[in-house]
Amino acid sequence: MSFGAAVAPAPQLVGSCTAGTTDRLAPQDHCVQSAGGDGISSLRWSSTANHLVSTNWDGGVRCWEVQEQGGQIRALPKAQVNHEGNAPVLDCCMSPDGNTVFSVGADKAVRMWQLGQTPPNNVPQQIGSHDQPIKSVGFLKSSNMIVSGGYDKMLKFWDARQPNPVAQIQLPERVYDLDVSDSLMVVACAGRHILTYNVQGQPQEHERKESPLKFQSRCVAAFPDNTGYAVGSIEGRVGIQYVTKVPGKESFAFKCHRDGNNVYAVNHIAFHKGYGTFSTVGADGIVNFWDKDNKQRLKGFPAIHRTITCAQFNAQGNMFAYASSYDWSKGSSQHAPNTPNEIFVHHVQDEEIKPKGKKSGYR
């Protein structure tokens, strides 16, 4: 896909790679230029090309073209749009063809950006709305609908060609995160509520339950094979939950992102589509790669000494993007105004993410 002459005005060079090599997972990790002037809330890759999209608390939605050759990576800033009034953008997703970005945030709007086009006033088209800020968004392949979940305790389903929601579902609490993988959608709400839906056609609730973790849910991610999901909490713990019976597999939970008596939030979980293994990133500045089937940690990277807010594998699984910015886990008193907001891209070695065979217990 070519962005052509329709690229938006060049983003300001903020968040432009001032960190040393100790502030990334590996010295050769590529630092992405123009990552934004405030916290990075989400990262998404196109499923059809190596286009990386981020959302930020500064109101920006940014896109890069990422190139990899022989393990060497570089990211070229391509375009940027901004939510109205530079309202914080909290999440985004992409259409299956990789041409459209859907974003949500504090302006209570669901917005659509056609890559390669510059919208009027550089503000993406609004296709939906909630009564409160919108925390998360996903795309339903089977119906070509967009789903959004907000602090108004609502799930809403949108057809980009219609101004009103196609359907809406009242939830027990505010949405903290949601994820979609083909026919499975999982929604994590305040109050430790977790709901799963079959979204093959008309959305149907499959199950609602209390999180297996004792503290507030921070993130959820559906398994690539749609048999279950992983949920992460603020208390350095991950739950692996099956919604479909799989022979020899049972739900379980394990501790992570801890250092002695210090416990850190699991900020994001991302699955590798090829191997079904996954990453966790945390408020401790650490990235781990895990194998849920063999219950083992595949790779633990050195701490980068800054909180990591989100991460994502590309479609091919050979690149891993992760964002470093303050996550507010220690409140405003620990916020330093000059905290860098940076995105790095790590070249994934097969031995880092490929299952190694069965061992006993997580290590």
Side-chain angles (χ1 to χ4, degrees):
M1 172 186 170
S2 173
F3 286 82
V7 173
Q12 293 181 339
L13 289 176
V14 289
S16 54
C17 305
T18 57
T21 56
T22 57
D23 290 324
R24 59 194 80 188
L25 302 185
Q28 66 272 26
D29 288 2
H30 176 74
C31 186
V32 174
Q33 292 288 338
S34 309
D38 206 339
I40 300 158
S41 54
S42 74
L43 293 170
R44 295 289 183 269
W45 291 91
S46 165
S47 60
T48 58
N50 283 323
H51 294 144
L52 176 65
V53 174
S54 76
T55 59
N56 289 61
W57 280 74
D58 64 5
V61 183
R62 296 169 172 85
C63 182
W64 296 264
E65 181 181 346
V66 185
Q67 302 171 348
E68 183 273 330
Q69 185 172 11
Q72 298 298 309
I73 294 171
R74 69 171 185 161
L76 307 175
K78 301 302 291 186
Q80 175 184 336
V81 294
N82 294 280
H83 275 222
E84 191 169 12
N86 292 324
V89 190
L90 303 181
D91 195 20
C92 70
C93 68
M94 299 188 76
S95 59
D97 62 9
N99 292 333
T100 308
V101 178
F102 301 94
S103 55
V104 297
D107 59 356
K108 309 175 188 177
V110 181
R111 297 189 179 275
M112 179 176 70
W113 175 26
Q114 300 280 353
L115 293 178
Q117 299 180 14
T118 303
N121 302 314
N122 211 37
V123 175
Q125 176 188 350
Q126 181 172 343
I127 62 167
S129 66
H130 282 243
D131 294 333
Q132 294 292 332
I134 309 171
K135 182 60 173 66
S136 199
V137 65
F139 193 93
L140 309 183
K141 293 180 183 178
S142 65
S143 57
N144 283 323
M145 289 193 298
I146 302 96
V147 58
S148 56
Y151 290 156
D152 57 359
K153 307 179 186 180
M154 296 296 295
L155 271 182
K156 295 188 178 184
F157 301 84
W158 307 94
D159 181 329
R161 301 164 297 183
Q162 301 179 20
N164 297 315
V166 176
Q168 53 187 19
I169 297 173
Q170 178 74 49
L171 297 171
E173 255 294 357
R174 294 155 289 162
V175 173
Y176 282 161
D177 197 16
L178 69 80
D179 192 34
V180 180
S181 176
D182 295 326
S183 61
L184 174 65
M185 178 171 68
V186 56
V187 183
C189 297
R192 298 171 51 238
H193 299 281
I194 297 182
L195 299 91
T196 53
Y197 296 86
N198 182 341
V199 290
Q200 189 74 37
Q202 185 74 16
Q204 297 289 329
E205 183 177 316
H206 172 75
E207 182 182 44
R208 63 173 64 196
K209 62 186 296 183
E210 190 175 78
S211 168
L213 311 179
K214 295 180 180 179
F215 291 86
Q216 176 184 304
S217 301
R218 185 78 157 191
C219 53
V220 289
F223 299 169
D225 65 3
N226 311 325
T227 59
Y229 60 89
V231 55
S233 77
I234 62 171
E235 186 237 353
R237 199 181 293 261
V238 168
I240 300 296
Q241 295 288 297
Y242 288 90
V243 297
T244 301
K245 286 190 177 296
V246 178
K249 303 296 181 185
E250 298 290 341
S251 298
F252 65 95
F254 65 95
K255 298 176 183 178
C256 54
H257 297 281
R258 298 175 176 220
D259 181 15
N261 292 325
N262 295 318
V263 179
Y264 300 90
V266 180
N267 284 333
H268 197 267
I269 298 170
F271 276 90
H272 187 282
K273 303 298 185 187
Y275 291 130
T277 49
F278 66 97
S279 67
T280 60
V281 303
D284 54 355
I286 287 179
V287 172
N288 291 311
F289 290 170
W290 305 93
D291 177 2
K292 65 178 176 58
D293 295 328
N294 293 308
K295 297 186 176 180
Q296 62 178 297
R297 183 169 64 176
L298 298 170
K299 177 74 175 179
F301 292 91
I304 68 168
H305 308 296
R306 284 191 273 128
T307 55
I308 302 175
T309 53
C310 51
Q312 202 77 35
F313 292 99
N314 69 336
Q316 294 78 19
N318 66 332
M319 288 190 284
F320 177 75
Y322 58 99
S324 171
S325 58
Y326 188 53
D327 64 356
W328 299 93
S329 58
K330 293 186 178 180
S332 59
S333 63
Q334 298 297 314
H335 176 245
N338 60 347
T339 299
N341 303 291
E342 294 177 324
I343 299 170
F344 297 95
V345 182
H346 174 74
H347 180 249
V348 180
Q349 304 291 327
D350 218 38
E351 58 267 24
E352 294 175 338
I353 196 64
K354 184 177 180 179
K356 292 181 172 64
K358 191 168 185 179
K359 289 185 180 180
S360 57
Y362 271 81
R363 295 181 180 180

